[in-house]
């Protein structure tokens, strides 16, 4: 079955159950569409955070506090470097987004309404994984990926060193011999990436620059 056939099947299927969220993602739905479908089914705001794809998506927009949305993003970032990261207080209804054994984000219901969110959040997580795979196969925003990786290392010490080294290698940085961390002030217009010698640098906003300088370089 080719992509056109998949899109035809998806649009011909009534959106009446959790599986239709996944079908929609196969057909081309984005994260906002997934969050909207899950929120409509559950009757409460839903947030999806895939740090390497950009900011946390919430539906309905502006339905939750900035602190709640930030907690989802921070938790997703923590899971990327430590799959046993503790769930933040007040964020009990969440499901990791996985591609194989790797966690790439999280889907969360931001309030409880008495219904069981399990199957809908599981479906939303599966749909988010499809979107992440689709984005990865068509090319992704390398700047966002570098920024997310460095911010996660700033916030959490990873418990899976091999996974961290593999992620860094995909970003063009070899950390196998160790590295020096950099935190400095930077103009807001600074454009950075992987520079000669494999250094990994990113402007993370608020005038701050984070980076890793590989010992091997």
């Amino acid at each position: 079955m080719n992509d056109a056939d998949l899109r035809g099947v998806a649009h011909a299927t009534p959106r009446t159950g959790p599986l239709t969220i996944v079908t929609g993602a196969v057909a081309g739905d984005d994260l906002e569409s997934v969050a909207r479908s899950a929120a409509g089914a559950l009757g409460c705001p839903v947030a999806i955070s895939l740090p390497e794809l950009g900011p946390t998506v919430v539906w309905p927009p502006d339905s939750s506090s900035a602190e709640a949305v930030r907690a989802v993003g921070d938790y997703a970032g923590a899971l990327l470097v430590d799959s046993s990261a503790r769930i933040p207080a007040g964020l009990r209804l969440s499901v990791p987004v996985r591609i194989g054994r790797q966690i790439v984000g999280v889907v969360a219901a931001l309030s409880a309404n008495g219904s069981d969110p399990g199957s809908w959040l599981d479906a939303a997580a599966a749909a988010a994984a499809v979107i992440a795979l689709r984005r990865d196969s068509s090319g992704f925003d390398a700047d966002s990926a570098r920024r997310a990786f460095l911010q996660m290392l700033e916030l959490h010490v990873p418990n899976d060193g091999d996974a961290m080294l593999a992620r860094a290698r995909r970003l063009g940085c070899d950390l196998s011999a160790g590295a020096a961390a950099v935190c400095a002030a930077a103009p807001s217009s600074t454009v950075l990436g992987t520079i000669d010698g494999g250094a990994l640098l990113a402007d993370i906003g608020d005038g701050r620059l984070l980076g890793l300088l590989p010992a091997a370089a």
Side-chain angles (χ1 to χ4, degrees):
M1 183 176 288
N2 59 33
D3 289 343
D5 292 331
L6 285 172
R7 286 192 292 271
V9 170
H11 290 303
T13 304
R15 292 179 176 274
T16 57
L19 183 59
T20 59
I21 297 182
V22 183
T23 309
V26 172
D29 283 356
D30 57 14
L31 288 179
E32 183 176 285
S33 297
V34 172
R36 180 171 62 244
S37 296
L42 293 172
C44 67
V46 169
I48 304 175
S49 179
L50 301 179
E52 292 192 355
L53 266 63
T56 300
V57 172
V58 181
W59 193 270
D62 304 320
S63 60
S64 303
S65 68
E67 291 76 12
V69 176
R70 189 179 305 114
V72 175
D74 288 348
Y75 181 45
L79 286 175
L80 263 63
V81 294
D82 182 356
S83 60
S84 63
R86 181 176 300 177
I87 300 175
L91 194 64
R92 297 184 302 276
L93 306 177
S94 64
V95 175
V97 178
R98 298 177 184 271
I99 297 177
R101 297 178 61 185
Q102 181 182 10
I103 296 178
V104 298
V106 69
V107 176
L110 297 182
S111 64
N113 63 356
S115 63
D116 179 11
S119 58
W120 288 98
L121 289 185
D122 287 339
V130 169
I131 292 169
L133 283 169
R134 192 174 68 224
R135 180 74 169 269
D136 189 54
S137 65
S138 62
F140 61 94
D141 184 342
D143 288 336
S144 295
R146 285 188 288 264
R147 188 180 306 111
F149 179 68
L150 290 167
Q151 285 180 297
M152 286 182 282
L153 290 181
E154 180 188 29
L155 293 171
H156 306 279
V157 177
N159 69 343
D160 188 340
D162 290 339
M164 182 194 71
L165 293 176
R167 287 172 60 82
R169 279 195 297 272
R170 289 197 294 271
L171 295 172
C173 183
D174 182 5
L175 301 180
S176 58
V182 174
C183 181
S188 59
S189 59
T190 301
V191 178
L192 299 163
T194 305
I195 63 175
D196 291 344
L200 192 64
L201 302 168
D203 178 1
I204 63 168
D206 298 325
R208 297 179 65 229
L209 165 69
L210 289 182
L212 289 172
L213 306 179

